[in-house]
Amino acid sequence: MGYSIAQKIIKSHLVEGEMIKGSEIGLRIDQTLTQDATGTMAYLQFEAMGTERVKTELSVAYIDHNTLQAGFENADDHRYIQTVTKRHGIRFSRPGNGICHQVHLERFGVPGKTLIGSDSHTPTAGGIGMLGMGAGGLDVAVAMGGGAYYITMPKIIHINLIGSLPDYVGAKDVILKVLSLLGVKGGVGAIVEYGGEGVKTLSVPQRATITNMGAELGATSSIFPSDEATREFLRKEGREADFLPLSADPDAVYDAVYTVNLSELAPLAACPHSPDNVKAVSELSGMKINQVCIGSCTNSSLLDMLTVARMLKGKTVHPDVSLSISPGSKQVYTMLAECGALADLIAAGARILECACGPCIGMGFSPQSKGVSLRTFNRNFLARSGTADAEVYLVSPETAAASALTGVFTDPTTLGEAPKITLPDTFTVCDNLIELPAPACEAEAVTVERGPNIKPIPKGKAPNENLVSSLILKVGDNITTDHIMPAGAKILPYRSNVPKLSEFCFTVCDKDFPERAKRLGGGVILGGANYGQGSSREHAALVPLYLGVRAVIAKSFARIHVANLINFGIVPMTLKNEADYDKFSEGDEILIEGFAEAIKSGESATLKNKTTGECAELVLAFSARQRKILLAGGLLAYTKSLS
Ligand code: MIC
Ligand code: SF4
């Protein structure tokens, strides 16, 4: 039997376990990336591990999320990351250099290699045939120290692309189509692999839009073959030597196969508040809009920006619309300026932002009350924009530009002849904002600067013999990490200050939660299906830990979040029978007898509702390694116990 692309990369990086679907495997990690909103924690944990120099082939720290410096906090954290990386052998991408995934694709991604990043959209690298996976900061710290990265051996979902994209239909419409087919849980436990004749009609940045938003499927990763288009992209970046052809064996066997005919696609939009709530733009046509935001790691490539610039050239943004544009990287920004397209955007009335995440993570540009915002981003979770009652729609740059001009939802295919964009033969390459670390012999002389915003990380605890607790929160299905630990301009500056951050925990769902959790001394959370979907932020585990949460019981969990819970010693358990969810209410007193013993060796445990007398069976599906981590009170303690 042949191998798929992802299976080939896994095979060549396997250091533990066997490639048996559903079992835990350990992978050697070639490259890591961090961004600033998760990076401080990742480097504090790396320091706590005591490793002097990173052991990966390449590790890069990006500053792209917390770039709105309304106080000293973010700037202090940037300085910490700049100095700690210099000391430990990590490259530092300065603020102004761009969004981690876009810059990594341009400057560092290599087909066939492995990458983990403390950001859930790390699979963007799959656009270049690299196996990129999002992970918690602690997992990235361990990988930087030379440790393996553990995942469940995934299923492979094959998306067979045929045909070619019609005018005004973009790569974003492809992934929105896939989201409409699979849903936000459809990729859980799987890697999504693209193949078929249609692949060669897509450039690397278009492929990267598709793999980027594979994160919204809940997938472990998404990947494209590495072919002539990949070689061409690398050549333009001056990195042809990094090219390696990579494709699936003709007899590779897939767990599921879907065919998407690119020629039949039409512009699509993900409606509030979920990326899989997909409708045709034609169905929404005419709806009044207030804001358009173009950018983010999904749609900020030169191709995207040039397309938008051409559509706006010589026109003016509708008076009722505010349009923001954030190019993905300094390279994209520079080239837009060089060819005059930036002037076209400015002249049309676009509000040009720096090349960073910006509005995507609620860092400014929050919509007006009840505002309708069209965004080329990847997430439209409730309140993520910073305006709780805003309606956010996710669309392609083509739909965004068309609607910015008319002031209403507009299907770009109705606009007449589409712009034909030809990309330059070479890209403007200049890595002057990527700082190299100090050489090993000078590293000790580097002083790591820590600002007053950096507070100690809470420590996990070993489980008690019995779990005697109460349900301090009951939530429904598809709870995202943006519900658990909201972000945005007002909260993100406290990413290094867990006590302060805890004041915002779960406030999107229940504004009294932090106070209640503190008053009750913590407890247990009950969730629905796909609990913890979305971001890789380990703060969604660290902050509940600080508030005394010892376990989370849910119908099912999202991959990165469940790993983060285990890493910090919070015990994630699933209900054997989902209907038992209804037997429990917030405030109920609960008991799990033999809790520590069940974690040590049991497959299941009984959850007793002391308030009502009802019972439910819980599944404890842990690997031997995860059991040891939980018993040690978390990965840091476990890793230390090994040395
Ligand atoms: C996101 O898009 O939600 C983020 C912000 O990039 C997160 C990381 C974070 O919360 O810092 C992610 O995707 O992992
Ligand atoms: Fe940044 Fe948004 Fe991409 Fe997250 S999804 S990395 S916030 S641009």
Side-chain angles (χ1 to χ4, degrees):
M1 189 189 82
Y3 289 107
S4 78
I5 304 167
Q7 287 167 343
K8 287 182 185 182
I9 302 180
I10 290 174
K11 189 163 178 278
S12 61
H13 288 79
L14 194 69
V15 290
E16 227 178 288
E18 284 175 69
M19 290 173 62
I20 301 167
K21 241 179 294 166
S23 71
E24 191 177 68
I25 52 168
L27 296 177
R28 177 168 47 79
I29 296 303
D30 300 319
Q31 298 187 356
T32 64
L33 71 78
T34 57
Q35 40 91 336
D36 48 335
T38 54
T40 316
M41 284 298 166
Y43 295 113
L44 287 170
Q45 291 167 144
F46 180 78
E47 285 187 299
M49 282 162 35
T51 315
E52 260 312 306
R53 199 108 186 131
V54 282
K55 301 209 170 92
T56 48
E57 290 174 12
L58 175 94
S59 287
V60 192
Y62 294 90
I63 305 293
D64 53 2
H65 282 61
N66 281 346
T67 55
L68 201 70
Q69 290 152 221
F72 65 91
E73 294 87 354
N74 293 341
D76 277 10
D77 285 359
H78 297 169
R79 190 70 193 140
Y80 165 68
I81 295 174
Q82 186 171 21
T83 51
V84 79
T85 51
K86 191 169 185 144
R87 175 165 176 140
H88 294 289
I90 300 145
R91 292 189 203 198
F92 178 75
S93 171
R94 288 167 55 181
N97 200 40
I99 306 174
C100 54
H101 307 302
Q102 176 68 25
V103 179
H104 209 86
L105 189 76
E106 291 168 358
R107 305 304 308 138
F108 300 116
V110 179
K113 299 258 180 196
T114 52
L115 164 75
I116 64 167
S118 60
D119 193 281
S120 64
H121 291 104
T122 306
T124 311
I128 206 166
M130 180 175 207
L131 184 60
M133 291 162 287
L138 183 48
D139 282 322
V140 175
V142 168
M144 286 191 291
Y149 178 56
Y150 293 87
I151 57 169
T152 304
M153 180 64 204
K155 305 181 282 190
I156 308 290
I157 298 177
H158 182 67
I159 310 276
N160 177 37
L161 299 177
I162 57 171
S164 60
L165 289 173
D167 282 351
Y168 283 122
V169 179
K172 180 62 150 286
D173 299 309
V174 180
I175 184 62
L176 288 174
K177 175 71 187 176
V178 175
L179 271 154
S180 74
L181 292 172
L182 297 179
V184 290
K185 298 196 286 285
V188 175
I191 290 183
V192 182
E193 263 194 49
Y194 293 82
E197 279 302 292
V199 165
K200 58 175 184 291
T201 68
L202 300 171
S203 63
V204 165
Q206 287 177 305
R207 297 173 186 182
T209 293
I210 297 169
T211 54
N212 169 285
M213 215 173 157
E216 276 54 67
L217 298 164
T220 303
S221 190
S222 298
I223 196 162
F224 270 83
S226 170
D227 58 9
E228 281 312 304
T230 321
R231 184 203 291 275
E232 182 60 3
F233 178 79
L234 286 166
R235 184 192 63 73
K236 290 186 179 192
E237 288 288 344
R239 303 201 288 124
E240 199 175 345
D242 286 339
F243 176 68
L244 176 86
L246 200 59
S247 57
D249 290 333
D251 56 344
V253 177
Y254 300 103
D255 296 281
V257 178
Y258 295 83
T259 294
V260 173
N261 186 343
L262 300 175
S263 309
E264 286 173 359
L265 289 181
L268 298 171
C271 303
H273 298 286
S274 182
D276 62 354
N277 188 10
V278 176
K279 284 196 178 139
V281 171
S282 57
E283 281 179 62
L284 303 160
S285 275
M287 183 199 294
K288 189 104 187 76
I289 65 165
N290 309 101
Q291 186 191 65
V292 174
C293 301
I294 299 176
S296 90
C297 56
T298 318
N299 276 124
S300 58
S301 68
L302 185 64
L303 176 68
D304 289 334
M305 294 291 147
L306 289 178
T307 305
V308 170
R310 186 73 65 78
M311 288 174 72
L312 296 186
K313 190 179 167 84
K315 305 194 171 115
T316 303
V317 172
H318 190 276
D320 296 340
V321 175
S322 198
L323 166 68
S324 78
I325 297 197
S326 355
S329 66
K330 179 168 78 80
Q331 183 181 91
V332 171
Y333 218 151
T334 307
M335 291 175 78
L336 277 179
E338 283 168 348
C339 73
L342 185 60
D344 296 333
L345 294 170
I346 297 170
R351 296 168 62 186
I352 312 291
L353 308 181
E354 67 176 318
C355 46
C357 300
C360 179
I361 187 59
M363 272 285 170
F365 233 83
S366 297
Q368 68 189 64
S369 297
K370 298 196 169 58
V372 173
S373 179
L374 266 58
R375 300 178 159 214
T376 65
F377 307 166
N378 47 37
R379 291 187 172 147
N380 58 348
F381 301 147
L382 182 71
R384 181 174 162 102
S385 66
T387 304
D389 58 7
E391 304 270 293
V392 175
Y393 293 81
L394 307 173
V395 296
S396 69
E398 291 84 349
T399 301
S403 308
L405 290 172
T406 58
V408 291
F409 237 113
T410 302
D411 180 342
T413 60
T414 60
L415 295 185
E417 214 190 316
K420 292 274 173 288
I421 307 293
T422 333
L423 291 178
D425 193 48
T426 54
F427 294 156
T428 304
V429 174
C430 173
D431 288 334
N432 63 336
L433 291 193
I434 297 177
E435 285 181 8
L436 294 179
C441 56
E442 291 167 23
E444 257 186 54
V446 177
T447 310
V448 177
E449 294 177 30
R450 279 163 239 273
N453 191 40
I454 299 182
K455 297 281 184 282
I457 307 175
K459 293 204 170 55
K461 287 194 188 122
N464 292 340
E465 189 186 335
N466 299 320
L467 180 74
V468 186
S469 192
S470 56
L471 281 182
I472 51 170
L473 185 71
K474 181 176 177 182
V475 286
D477 290 348
N478 292 322
I479 284 295
T480 73
T481 51
D482 279 274
H483 290 105
I484 306 171
M485 200 49 257
K490 298 194 186 89
I491 305 177
L492 275 172
Y494 303 113
R495 280 290 179 91
S496 317
N497 182 346
V498 170
K500 179 72 188 168
L501 212 50
S502 72
E503 294 169 18
F504 305 96
C505 186
F506 269 117
T507 48
V508 175
C509 309
D510 177 349
K511 65 177 177 22
D512 300 326
F513 177 76
E515 186 275 322
R516 185 167 70 248
K518 272 194 180 147
R519 183 166 37 84
L520 297 174
V524 171
I525 292 172
L526 177 62
N530 201 23
Y531 179 87
Q533 68 158 326
S535 125
S536 67
R537 63 189 74 146
E538 55 195 352
H539 304 79
L542 265 175
V543 173
L545 172 70
Y546 173 81
L547 290 171
V549 173
R550 294 282 164 258
V552 180
I553 297 164
K555 291 180 186 169
S556 63
F557 288 93
R559 178 187 73 91
I560 307 178
H561 186 61
V562 81
N564 284 337
L565 289 173
I566 294 172
N567 282 353
F568 292 103
I570 299 180
V571 186
M573 295 169 283
T574 49
L575 291 164
K576 188 167 186 190
N577 179 359
E578 288 192 3
D580 286 346
Y581 174 86
D582 297 327
K583 291 182 179 168
F584 296 85
S585 311
E586 207 168 279
D588 286 351
E589 295 300 320
I590 55 164
L591 168 70
I592 301 176
E593 274 178 285
F595 183 53
E597 197 49 41
I599 294 168
K600 196 168 168 199
S601 52
E603 301 292 312
S604 63
T606 304
L607 172 69
K608 285 193 188 131
N609 189 335
K610 292 206 291 179
T611 308
T612 63
E614 303 237 49
C615 283
E617 270 314 281
L618 300 178
V619 180
L620 282 70
F622 305 128
S623 69
R625 187 189 67 94
Q626 290 171 327
R627 289 178 193 278
K628 285 184 205 150
I629 293 174
L630 285 170
L631 291 171
L635 181 58
L636 213 50
Y638 171 66
T639 309
K640 278 192 171 161
S641 74
L642 296 179
S643 55

